[in-house]
Amino acid sequence: MSTDIISFLLNWEAAPYHLPIYLAQIKGYYQQEGIRLSILEPSNPSDVTELIGSGKVDMGLKAMVHTLAAKARGFPVTSVASLLDEPFTGILYLKASGITGDFHSLKGKRIGYVGEFGKIQVDELTKHYGMTPDDYTAVRCGMNVAKYIIEGKIDAGIGIECIQQVELEDYLKKQGRPIEDAQMLRIDQLAELGCCCFCTILYICNDEFLQANPDKVKKFLKAVKRATDDMLANPQESWAQFCDFKPQLANEVNHKKFQRCYAYFSESLYNVHRDWRKVTAYGKRLEILPSDYVPNYSNEYLSWKEPEETADPLEAQRQMASHQEECRACGGYRRLVV
């Protein structure tokens, strides 16, 4: 039997930054475009690119560095748009752990990571700072980094500012401790990358599905763009609609996550050429990409005008860091105007 339903695999269980995908379904935008979408959640985030690349799933979400590595490993996937641009990613820890802003303070510590590439990143950083992978204990903990830190199973772990760091801050607040005690050593700064784009969350497609169904992909992206526009124009209303559809997300900590994600949402959905060049170079540095690798992304399925890239990305990152600190202190829905 066959079906015309598009299977779409999230990069983890439903989270606040998945809102545009669900909102397009809630508001009937997929139906209006003449497509049907089945939204799936993986039991293991590391399975996503393999499932999409093997053709078992048509489309989904994954970070940029994983999307590059998937194609290099023989799983044919292509990024057709961006969902979340450059969320700050790094090694999270609590001040009480004895870890400081100096990478060498991680020596002898237990560091958690989501999947294979997280460990590769930390291993490469140890070499960058005159250490070795034997100088720390690696603990694979999936998306439960904050949980493992809170439970004392690890001293630090890789996470993103708008998700796992918010979970740590919520824990500290409930303990009557300052939320500023949740700290991050940003990987882009440690590795001197000049951007934090390796964790940009992308809309990716199986290449065979993409080649056979370009119109379906265009219609999907049009529907998601409408939902993204709605969310950016009316974040509070959109969050209420999302929580009505996914009531398990209707709590204070998830609302805070959505507020912190709000500045990272890509308004245009376009893949940023500069970011792909930088992360491709980083992938070669990590030795997960061959020297002649050509990045696997396309903007040809987006039908609206492509925006100009930021002239000074480092200054934009500096402003975003300040912006997110303000959001941490005050909350609310805030978008950065560079």
Side-chain angles (χ1 to χ4, degrees):
M1 297 180 67
S2 63
T3 178
D4 64 346
I5 295 176
I6 299 170
S7 53
F8 188 94
L9 186 62
L10 302 178
N11 54 335
W12 187 224
E13 62 189 21
Y17 63 84
H18 296 140
L19 188 151
I21 298 151
Y22 283 100
L23 190 62
Q25 189 174 65
I26 293 165
K27 303 187 89 167
Y29 292 161
Y30 300 129
Q31 185 179 14
Q32 290 171 30
E33 289 293 337
I35 59 174
R36 295 195 295 161
L37 193 78
S38 178
I39 304 171
L40 312 173
E41 299 179 11
S43 58
N44 184 345
S46 296
D47 294 340
V48 173
T49 48
E50 185 172 342
L51 288 169
I52 297 172
S54 63
K56 291 181 172 65
V57 178
D58 301 321
M59 301 183 67
L61 297 175
K62 203 61 182 171
M64 190 180 291
V65 68
H66 300 110
T67 301
L68 285 160
K71 189 73 171 275
R73 292 186 167 189
F75 294 107
V77 296
T78 296
S79 169
V80 292
S82 299
L83 169 63
L84 212 63
D85 273 339
E86 301 191 58
F88 290 139
T89 305
I91 300 172
L92 292 164
Y93 63 94
L94 300 177
K95 277 189 177 180
S97 67
I99 298 169
T100 69
D102 180 358
F103 184 83
H104 294 93
S105 66
L106 293 170
K107 189 169 184 177
K109 301 296 186 182
R110 299 161 298 167
I111 303 178
Y113 63 97
V114 177
E116 176 187 3
F117 297 115
K119 185 177 188 306
I120 290 172
Q121 285 180 300
V122 180
D123 285 353
E124 198 273 338
L125 284 171
T126 61
K127 298 173 187 175
H128 191 67
Y129 285 88
M131 297 162 59
T132 74
D134 293 331
D135 285 325
Y136 79 99
T137 301
V139 180
R140 186 164 184 163
C141 45
M143 301 296 281
N144 298 311
V145 167
K147 178 176 181 289
Y148 276 39
I149 291 174
I150 292 167
E151 293 175 350
K153 295 178 180 177
I154 57 176
D155 303 296
I158 297 176
I160 61 176
E161 177 264 328
C162 54
I163 299 295
Q164 287 88 0
Q165 186 168 334
V166 176
E167 293 172 0
L168 290 178
E169 291 165 4
D170 182 67
Y171 161 75
L172 290 168
K173 182 180 178 181
K174 290 175 180 175
Q175 293 283 310
R177 296 157 63 184
I179 62 171
E180 292 78 15
D181 284 0
Q183 297 284 310
M184 174 187 284
L185 286 165
R186 277 173 45 189
I187 290 176
D188 62 308
Q189 294 177 338
L190 293 171
E192 301 175 340
L193 299 178
C195 70
C196 205
C197 43
F198 60 88
C199 260
T200 291
I201 306 299
L202 306 167
Y203 295 99
I204 67 173
C205 292
N206 170 272
D207 283 357
E208 186 175 339
F209 172 80
L210 182 59
Q211 185 176 3
N213 301 278
D215 289 339
K216 283 187 177 180
V217 174
K218 290 177 182 177
K219 290 175 179 179
F220 166 80
L221 293 172
K222 283 176 67 178
V224 168
K225 177 66 164 67
R226 286 180 66 188
T228 301
D229 290 344
D230 290 349
M231 175 197 66
L232 295 179
N234 299 290
Q236 194 151 345
E237 178 184 328
S238 298
W239 177 250
Q241 290 174 304
F242 185 34
C243 289
D244 185 59
F245 189 77
K246 283 281 186 182
Q248 66 269 33
L249 295 178
N251 55 55
E252 184 181 0
V253 67
N254 279 312
H255 189 211
K256 287 180 180 177
K257 288 179 185 179
F258 177 58
Q259 291 175 334
R260 293 273 276 279
C261 287
Y262 188 66
Y264 294 125
F265 280 108
S266 172
E267 183 175 5
S268 72
L269 276 61
Y270 270 82
N271 288 286
V272 180
H273 306 289
R274 177 196 66 247
D275 292 351
W276 278 93
R277 290 192 296 269
K278 287 193 173 188
V279 181
T280 299
Y282 183 46
K284 293 174 183 178
R285 172 176 150 183
L286 293 174
E287 299 181 351
I288 61 175
L289 302 178
S291 59
D292 60 348
Y293 190 85
V294 177
N296 47 323
Y297 75 98
S298 173
N299 285 328
E300 66 179 280
Y301 303 94
L302 303 174
S303 56
W304 45 93
K305 185 178 179 181
E306 181 173 0
E308 292 185 11
E309 294 188 8
T310 304
D312 189 345
L314 285 177
E315 174 60 17
Q317 289 271 287
R318 187 197 66 76
Q319 290 186 32
M320 180 63 86
S322 176
H323 178 274
Q324 290 300 92
E325 279 298 317
E326 185 177 349
C327 185
R328 172 157 80 163
C330 305
Y333 303 105
R334 305 160 186 265
R335 293 281 289 176
L336 178 65
V337 179
V338 180

